[in-house]
Amino acid sequence: MVYKALTIAGSDSGGGAGIQADLKTFHQLRVFGMSAITAVTAQNTLGVQGVYPLSVEAVERQIDSVAVDLSPHAVKTGMLFSHEMIELVAHKIKQYKWTRIVVDPVMIAKGGAPLLKQEAVEALQRHLLPLAYVLTPNMPEAEVLTNMQMETIEQRKEAAKKLHDMGVRYVVMKGGHGEGNELIDILYDGEQFYEWKSKRIDTKHTHGTGCTFAAAITAQLAKGKTIYEAVDVAKRFIQAAVEQTLQIGSGHGPTNHWAFHE
Ligand SMILES: Nc1ncnc2c1ncn2[C@@H]1O[C@H](COP(=O)(O)OP(=O)(O)OP(=O)(O)O)[C@@H](O)[C@H]1O
Ligand SMILES: Cc1ncc(CO)c(N)n1
């Protein structure tokens, strides 16, 4: 059986985040990767030098081409940039009756460059969250989506409940932006919370951690794994990828997509 996953996201020329991180992660987890590119970014380990969105029509064609011929088992969304693109993606998810949807609500790159227009946040809340099987916000993204504070674990759990109320099936709150040496990722399934704790690795090479983590969840869901199993593998995948970074580029380098073996 060949498991297939589609990523609808932006291209990172530097290869560490976006479409490139997703495809490398799918591949490493033995899932056939396909892509619909929403925007091309000129990007490296030093930052984002340019953002060039594709037309809605170009994205629609890519999604249709994949959908009619290659039927993905799971779909991930990353950088969507505008409300028009969000509405299109929501429409396509409904049209093709896709259910295993992982929405990574990408808003800004680590260096601060915007990857989603501010006015598109409402479209994300209205159109995409209700279709999300899994939502993987980092702490600043969860703050924007819920208008709630994320300082304590209790506050993050309350925010997860609110996101669940907004229509998300499973909320995975990433803990990369937290304080202290311990990193806590939280899964909320509407009833219970599950926590993954790990030691924060002291490195500046964390470009693309969020994309890679969400892509690993997507790959596991494509194989029919449960959400708990998917997050568990993703956590181990990202831990190994940050632990064994490649030390390339002179800024915030990419993670190592070769590091984890199932
Ligand atoms: N320094 C670190 N050491 C270990 N794990 C980390 C580290 N930084 C992030 N992670 C893990 O990586 C995953 C992604 O978390 P994070 O909150 O950094 O995502 P993100 O901000 O969306 O990343 P990006 O915007 O760079 O794609 C989480 O599982 C988190 O626990
Ligand atoms: C294209 C793209 N998507 C997502 C991120 C977030 O890490 C990034 N830096 N670039």
Side-chain angles (χ1 to χ4, degrees), residues 104 108 110 138-139 141 174-177 183 185 198-203 206-211 213 235 238-239 242:
D104 188 19
I108 48 173
K110 281 225 167 85
N138 63 23
M139 287 158 63
E141 289 158 356
K174 296 178 292 191
H177 296 247
L183 239 153
D185 294 334
S198 58
K199 226 174 91 71
R200 180 185 299 281
I201 299 158
D202 185 18
T203 172
T206 55
H207 176 66
T209 47
C211 306
F213 178 70
K235 185 71 189 164
I238 195 64
Q239 189 76 14
V242 175

Side-chain angles (χ1 to χ4, degrees), residues 22 57 75 81 89 93 96 101-102 104 108 111 115 160 170 182 205 212-213 228 244:
D22 294 345
E57 185 192 339
V75 177
F81 196 64
V89 170
I93 289 170
Y96 293 115
I101 307 293
V102 177
D104 188 19
I108 48 173
L115 301 176
Y170 295 109
E182 195 177 54
H205 301 299
T212 302
F213 178 70
Y228 187 89
Q244 302 167 45

Side-chain angles (χ1 to χ4, degrees), residues 80 86 105 107 116 120-130 145:
L80 295 175
I86 291 168
M107 293 182 188
L116 180 76
V121 170
E122 198 194 322
L124 205 56
Q125 293 164 321
R126 268 231 328 244
H127 301 291
L128 215 47
L129 297 201
L145 289 170

